[in-house]
């Protein structure tokens, strides 16, 4: 690869570095080359370069990019340690958290566990959009207090607290800062524009001893809602003596197309061309069937041309504005409307619900024990309390309550020797439970998992059916996975899956921190926010459609701009759209409803 002038400048610089540049300008690439250079010339034995990034998915791309740099010696490559901020913070907290008065033994309060722990507080408030600013502040304070209580009293630390605690540790301990810098003399900070206040506190402390290389695109800052701040780059400039290189204008990803130009024009809201090479905008009639049919036929066509290109490992991303749309599209691809063929794909779905569903299934793999049914009911209630993540629905929370009440009544009647009313939820639930407990296991975790799932799916309880459907989103049991191996071992050691629940819970924590995931290939469906830092051969951006009654729009959900209302077309939605557009290397296709097209396009 021939380095650009700016990249050469970076390569030659010493000390702290701030590298700014637009999508595809080559920031990640040069940071890897710079890391390799430092590894070769500066590192003593036992030292490494630390590369910190936000998302695991970005990490797999960075790891792939490192692997693809054939000029770097494999021995040097192994000295670049790529990790998420979360995972790095967790290592520090686990080892040194007691210095802050946290319990000696800490566990992670996973997002699913956190959703359960906070569901009562969340449920005591109205929906977020109905709250006054004071109520919002009050809600946030109560949630934070409960998180703190969980950490300090129970030793269960939620992700939200990681950066805060690590900042406190580093601000207080010279020694720890020095130790980190001795181990990692150069630290690369990917997506620096997205750091929140606590993460910035950590960075400030790290930079006191180690050399920092911050990579940033101020206009890819899409996390203002969780604390990213437009002032961050200036804060870096003020804090550190540094070299700054601005690569705006360079574009190596979609060279020869107008994809970046179009993204920049969307950002400004001013279009400089009538036609943009590499950008296609198509429309569909505003109803679910025709919208999905248009998406599917477009996907077939693009997939066909990618397959015909004979390129190994091609990728096509379908980016949508909301979690709900991710599911809707994934379901449609899996079980399409009539006459269409399914599209094999990966969907990047929030797994809160699926993880809790997997806990239910794994529990049923365990041999019966005293109070086994009670444990089962607890997990079902957990499922309904935690399945909505940080946005639980009142209906699900009410379901959890009604299950608990029905079950208490069931117990009461049984111990009094009375008949339980046949229409009690508990009756159907216990029938499905007993069917699952009757499953005969083979010792093959995948087969046994499927037989539990089928028992729940085929039983009379609709609530358990929904759990059986949800758990299909989990792919951790595929051949060669750690979960599968651990369950097999458990079976061999004990002749049964004695610890299936604990093994499954550990597998999810491990999965969260794992950097093994392969870069996505084939067709991938995901929320636009999750596409950050990634690149695909082709991209489709697909949004929702307005709902009409008597030709009046009565609802307009799942749009790129809220309600597709021009007054909501703020810089956040423009930046988000620009990030999505610029993920494509060759073509980005935008699909939007014909009678109410996306307001960012005109
Ligand atoms: N000097 C170069 N010559 C040719 N190709 C390059 C050069 N630098 C980077 N590339 C390629 O361009 C693509 C985009 O580069 P890279 O991922 O480093 O950009 P980025 O600035 O990190 O993008 P983003 O901010 O959008 O994540 C990659 O496929 C990379 O291999």
């Amino acid at each position: 690869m021939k380095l650009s002038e700016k990249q050469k400048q970076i390569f030659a610089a010493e000390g702290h570095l701030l590298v700014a540049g637009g999508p595809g300008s080559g920031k990640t690439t040069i940071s890897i080359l710079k890391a390799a250079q430092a590894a070769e010339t500066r590192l003593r034995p036992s030292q490494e370069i630390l590369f910190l990034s936000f998302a695991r998915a970005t990490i797999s791309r960075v790891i792939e990019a490192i692997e693809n740099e054939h000029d770097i010696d494999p021995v040097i490559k192994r000295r670049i340690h790529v990790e998420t901020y979360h995972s790095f913070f967790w290592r520090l907290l686990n080892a040194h958290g007691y210095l802050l008065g946290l319990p000696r033994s800490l566990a992670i309060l996973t997002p699913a566990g956190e959703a359960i722990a906070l569901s009562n507080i969340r449920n005591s408030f109205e929906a977020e959009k109905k709250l006054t600013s004071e109520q919002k502040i009050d809600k946030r304070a109560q949630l934070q207090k409960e998180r703190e209580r969980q950490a300090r009293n129970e030793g269960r630390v939620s992700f939200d607290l990681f950066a805060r605690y690590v900042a406190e540790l580093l601000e207080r301990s010279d020694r720890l800062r020095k130790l980190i810098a001795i181990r990692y003399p150069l630290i690369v900070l990917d997506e620096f524009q997205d750091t929140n206040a606590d993460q910035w506190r950590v960075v400030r402390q790290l930079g006191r001893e180690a050399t920092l290389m911050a990579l940033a695109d101020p206009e890819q800052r899409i996390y203002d809602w969780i604390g990213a701040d437009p002032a961050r780059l200036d804060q870096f400039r003020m804090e550190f003596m540094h070299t700054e290189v601005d690569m705006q204008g360079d574009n190596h990803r979609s060279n020869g197309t107008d994809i970046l130009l179009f993204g920049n024009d969307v950002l400004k809201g001013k279009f400089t061309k009538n036609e943009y090479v590499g950008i296609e905008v198509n429309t569909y009639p505003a109803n679910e069937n025709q919208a999905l049919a248009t998406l599917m036929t477009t996907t077939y066509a693009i997939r066909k041309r990618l397959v015909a290109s004979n390129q190994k490992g091609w990728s096509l991303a379908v980016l949508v504005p909301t979690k709900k749309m991710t599911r809707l599209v994934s379901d449609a691809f899996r079980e399409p409307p009539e006459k269409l063929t399914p599209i094999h794909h990966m969907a990047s779905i929030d797994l809160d619900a699926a993880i809790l569903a997997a806990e239910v299934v794994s529990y049923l793999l365990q041999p019966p024990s005293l109070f086994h049914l009670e444990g089962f009911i607890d997990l079902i209630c957990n499922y309904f309390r935690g399945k909505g993540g940080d946005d639980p629905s009142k209906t699900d929370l009410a379901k959890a309550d009604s299950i608990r009440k029905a079950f208490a009544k069931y117990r009461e009647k049984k111990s009094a020797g009375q008949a339980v009313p046949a229409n009690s939820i508990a009756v159907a639930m216990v029938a499905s439970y007993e069917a699952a407990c009757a499953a005969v296991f083979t010792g093959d975790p995948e087969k046994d998992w499927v037989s539990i799932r089928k028992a729940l799916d085929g039983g009379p309880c609709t609530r358990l059916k929904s759990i059986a459907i949800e758990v299909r989103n989990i792919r951790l049991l595929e051949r060669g996975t750690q979960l599968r191996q651990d369950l097999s071992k458990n079976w061999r050691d004990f002749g049964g899956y004695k610890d299936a629940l604990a093994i499954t819970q550990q597998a999810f924590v491990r999965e969260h921190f794992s950097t093994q995931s392969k870069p996505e290939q084939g067709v991938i469906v995901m929320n636009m926010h999750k596409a950050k830092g990634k690149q695909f051969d082709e991209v489709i951006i697909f949004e929702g459609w307005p709902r009409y009654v008597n030709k009046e729009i009565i609802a307009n959900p799942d749009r790129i701009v809220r309600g597709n209302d021009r007054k909501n077309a703020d810089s956040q939605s423009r930046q988000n759209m620009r990030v999505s557009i610029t993920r494509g290397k060759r073509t980005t296709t935008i699909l939007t409803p014909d009678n109410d097209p996306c307001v960012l396009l005109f």
Side-chain angles (χ1 to χ4, degrees), residues 527-546:
N527 192 315
M528 290 166 79
H529 272 100
K530 293 204 168 156
K532 189 84 180 308
K534 300 185 181 179
Q535 57 183 14
F536 307 95
D537 294 306
E538 297 222 23
V539 166
I540 299 175
I541 300 175
F542 174 71
E543 59 173 350
W545 49 90

Side-chain angles (χ1 to χ4, degrees), residues 220-240:
Q220 287 190 58
R221 204 189 66 246
I222 60 173
Y223 287 116
D224 282 9
W225 48 288
I226 44 173
D229 188 335
R232 199 68 73 220
L233 268 68
D234 279 339
Q235 289 170 334
F236 187 97
R237 292 180 182 114
M238 307 266 287
E239 182 77 23
F240 300 114

Side-chain angles (χ1 to χ4, degrees), residues 469-486:
I469 293 172
E470 189 62 59
V471 84
R472 285 181 13 192
N473 289 314
I474 293 284
R475 288 171 190 260
L476 279 186
L477 265 178
E478 281 170 359
R479 206 164 287 282
T481 59
Q482 189 71 40
L483 174 60
R484 192 178 161 129
Q485 284 171 22
D486 290 350

Side-chain angles (χ1 to χ4, degrees), residues 577-595:
M577 181 67 162
R578 174 177 177 261
V579 168
S580 296
I581 291 168
T582 54
R583 297 307 95 197
K585 292 192 203 171
R586 301 183 210 167
T587 312
T588 293
T589 305
I590 301 168
L591 298 179
T592 187
D594 54 8
N595 46 356

